[in-house]
């Protein structure tokens, strides 16, 4: 009888222990993060699929969103705690280009460098090839002789918009002579198919998909415009960053580990498999995989361009993830350069307000990863003049418009 009693007590104790463990698991703080169907949402996807969010004590729900405008609205109203987001977007929104002026979306860390592109439609096949910058302006005029030429980007003042405008300035296209429209990334290929535009600037895999479907070809990749440029960032709701700092730090640690995992090239095929699923990017696996591995089939019988050290990177020994104020200042300067802002904003003040570099440094130290110095030194992109954050007026006076 005593033995039976002990067995019952032991069983009850086990049940109570299991129930307690289950309750602890159930009460992990929930964080909701948005993403757009692009290859560079991979850090959030990998952190989810590898169980890294749970490892660091947060229950992350990923929400697939239809457009960057949706991401903006949901971050600002708190429906999303944060999101995979264009690095330039918080600056665009704050200055009133892409939202209500003064609205604060904060950058916690950078998710990737490189891996975007500019695609031209089949109208340009035979007129201009890959990186043939000296032929583009004449090709545009030739096409304009029979139709209006329109280019698409994904969000005013976002990275894709700025890569497009930098490319147009470099090749000598007067930006007032063509149309520039906004189209969400997953809709780019379909819109080009029905002749809504002659070119677009977007992230992968949509440049690759246009080439694979024989709708257009890759004229240039974003890393050819600026090698190792900041691209997507983890952008967060201001109140979430202030009130749930530890939860945000744990999210960032999970994403940092995912970024390191993704930069092991042997893991990229597995990552491509996840990304191709309907609930993530929903695009052809071979296209996602090839461009993740740095192999760009350009389309239009232009062959394959292989990138050896400047394919899409997610960690790069810590270089990728540190958010730098100097990069924010560069984006703000582009808005003035291209006439999107009529007067100079507070370049440094806005960058300091929107970039959480101190938070990132704290997370990186705890995660034992390098923090890159935001040394505010002058730098130069491929086709532009030197950008000196200490003398932005000089830059604006000499940069091509």
């Amino acid at each position: 009888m005593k033995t039976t009693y002990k067995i019952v007590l032991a069983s009850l104790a086990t049940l109570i222990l299991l129930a307690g463990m289950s309750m602890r698991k159930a009460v992990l703080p929930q964080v909701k993060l948005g993403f757009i169907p692009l290859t560079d949402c991979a850090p959030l996807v990998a952190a989810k699929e590898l169980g890294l969010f749970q490892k660091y004590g947060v229950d992350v729900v990923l929400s697939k969103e239809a457009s960057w405008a949706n991401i903006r609205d949901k971050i600002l109203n708190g429906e999303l705690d944060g999101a995979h987001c264009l690095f330039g977007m918080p600056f665009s929104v704050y200055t009133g280009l892409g939202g209500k002026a003064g609205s604060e979306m904060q950058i916690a860390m950078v998710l990737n460098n490189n891996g975007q592109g500019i695609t031209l439609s089949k109208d340009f096949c035979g007129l201009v090839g890959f990186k043939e910058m000296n032929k583009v302006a004449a090709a545009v005029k030739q096409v304009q002789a029979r139709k209006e030429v329109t280019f698409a980007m994904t969000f005013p003042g976002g990275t894709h918009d700025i890569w497009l405008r930098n490319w147009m300035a470099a090749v000598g296209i007067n930006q007032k002579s063509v149309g520039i429209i906004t189209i969400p990334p997953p809709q780019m290929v379909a819109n080009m198919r029905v002749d809504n535009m002659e070119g677009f600037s977007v992230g992968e895999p949509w440049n690759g998909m246009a080439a694979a479907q024989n709708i257009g070809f890759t004229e240039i990749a974003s890393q050819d415009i600026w090698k190792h440029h900041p691209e997507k960032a983890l952008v967060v709701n201001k109140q979430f960053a202030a009130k749930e700092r530890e939860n945000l730090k744990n999210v960032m640690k999970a994403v940092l580990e995912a970024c390191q995992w993704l930069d092991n090239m042997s893991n990229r095929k597995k990552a491509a498999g996840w990304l191709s699923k309907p609930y993530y990017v929903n695009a052809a696996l071979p296209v996602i995989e090839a461009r993740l591995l740095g192999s760009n089939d350009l389309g239009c019988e232009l062959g394959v361009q292989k990138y050896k050290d400047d394919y899409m990177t997610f960690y790069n020994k810590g270089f990728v993830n540190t958010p730098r104020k100097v990069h924010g200042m560069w984006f703000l300067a582009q808005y003035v350069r291209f006439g999107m802002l009529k007067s100079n904003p507070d370049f440094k003040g806005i960058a300091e307000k929107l970039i959480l570099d101190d938070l990132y440094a704290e997370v990186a130290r705890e995660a034992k990863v390098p923090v890159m110095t935001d040394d505010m030194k002058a730098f130069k992109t491929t086709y532009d003049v030197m950008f000196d954050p200490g003398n932005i007026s000089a830059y604006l006076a000499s940069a091509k418009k």
Side-chain angles (χ1 to χ4, degrees), residues 105-393:
M105 302 163 64
Q106 296 183 316
I107 296 174
M109 63 183 290
V110 178
L111 297 177
N112 74 292
N113 291 169
N114 309 325
Q116 320 301 295
I118 292 174
T119 289
L120 296 179
S121 71
K122 289 183 70 177
D123 288 314
F124 290 90
C125 282
L127 300 180
V128 59
F130 178 68
K131 287 174 62 176
E132 289 187 335
M133 306 291 275
N134 61 336
K135 294 184 178 181
V136 176
V140 168
K141 286 183 179 179
Q142 192 168 332
V143 174
Q144 281 177 324
R146 54 188 172 81
K147 64 189 295 190
E148 183 180 346
V149 171
T150 298
F151 293 97
M153 48 76 188
T154 64
F155 189 85
T159 52
H160 302 137
D161 186 16
I162 298 306
W163 309 147
L164 176 65
R165 293 176 191 273
N166 269 256
W167 172 78
M168 291 169 70
V171 301
I173 298 174
N174 183 331
Q175 296 180 25
K176 294 180 180 179
S177 70
V178 297
I180 298 178
I181 60 175
T182 302
I183 301 286
Q187 297 176 26
M188 285 293 189
V189 175
N191 274 271
M192 182 168 278
R193 185 184 292 114
V194 297
D195 203 29
N196 281 345
M197 75 288 230
E198 287 63 51
F200 60 68
S201 174
V202 75
E204 298 301 344
W206 306 114
N207 298 288
M209 290 297 294
Q213 295 179 18
N214 197 29
I215 291 165
F217 65 95
T218 303
E219 203 286 322
I220 194 167
S222 59
Q223 55 265 42
D224 298 314
I225 297 170
W226 177 3
K227 185 176 179 179
H228 300 325
H229 63 80
E231 180 50 43
K232 300 304 186 301
L234 177 62
V235 172
V236 294
N237 171 275
K238 182 181 179 181
Q239 286 70 35
F240 173 72
K243 295 179 180 179
E244 298 193 43
R245 184 181 177 89
E246 289 305 312
N247 289 337
L248 175 54
K249 285 174 61 178
N250 288 332
V251 166
M252 292 167 68
K253 288 173 185 176
V255 172
L256 263 175
E257 188 169 331
C259 287
Q260 293 172 74
W261 183 87
L262 285 163
D263 263 12
N264 181 336
M265 297 302 282
S266 65
N267 291 328
R268 293 210 172 183
K269 288 189 176 183
K270 188 170 188 177
W274 292 330
L275 291 166
S276 69
K277 301 299 183 185
Y279 43 85
Y280 289 132
V281 177
N282 193 26
L285 173 59
V287 174
I288 295 175
E289 183 179 297
R291 294 211 169 192
L292 257 183
L293 293 170
S295 181
N296 290 10
D297 187 342
L298 301 171
C300 203
E301 300 183 356
L302 292 172
V304 176
Q305 172 69 20
K306 292 187 180 294
Y307 290 92
K308 295 181 179 178
D309 70 339
D310 54 353
Y311 42 70
M312 188 181 292
T313 55
F314 299 94
Y315 179 65
N316 194 11
K317 300 178 182 178
F319 178 85
V320 171
N321 309 108
T322 304
R324 297 166 175 82
K325 291 191 285 287
V326 69
H327 292 162
M329 295 169 70
W330 183 88
F331 271 90
L332 290 165
Q334 303 310 299
Y335 304 159
V336 180
R337 172 188 180 186
F338 295 121
M340 303 161 81
L341 292 179
K342 300 305 179 186
S343 59
N344 288 354
D346 179 2
F347 296 105
K348 189 175 181 181
I350 294 172
E352 288 176 343
K353 185 185 291 286
L354 301 183
I355 293 180
L356 303 177
D357 52 341
D358 289 343
L359 174 67
Y360 176 79
E362 184 179 330
V363 169
R365 283 193 297 270
E366 292 178 11
K368 295 181 171 57
V369 302
V371 179
M372 299 298 110
T373 302
D374 192 355
D375 53 23
M376 303 296 281
K377 287 184 179 178
F379 66 90
K380 185 180 181 300
T381 60
T382 307
Y383 301 105
D384 197 8
V385 298
M386 189 72 70
F387 175 77
D388 182 354
N391 191 357
I392 295 176
S393 294

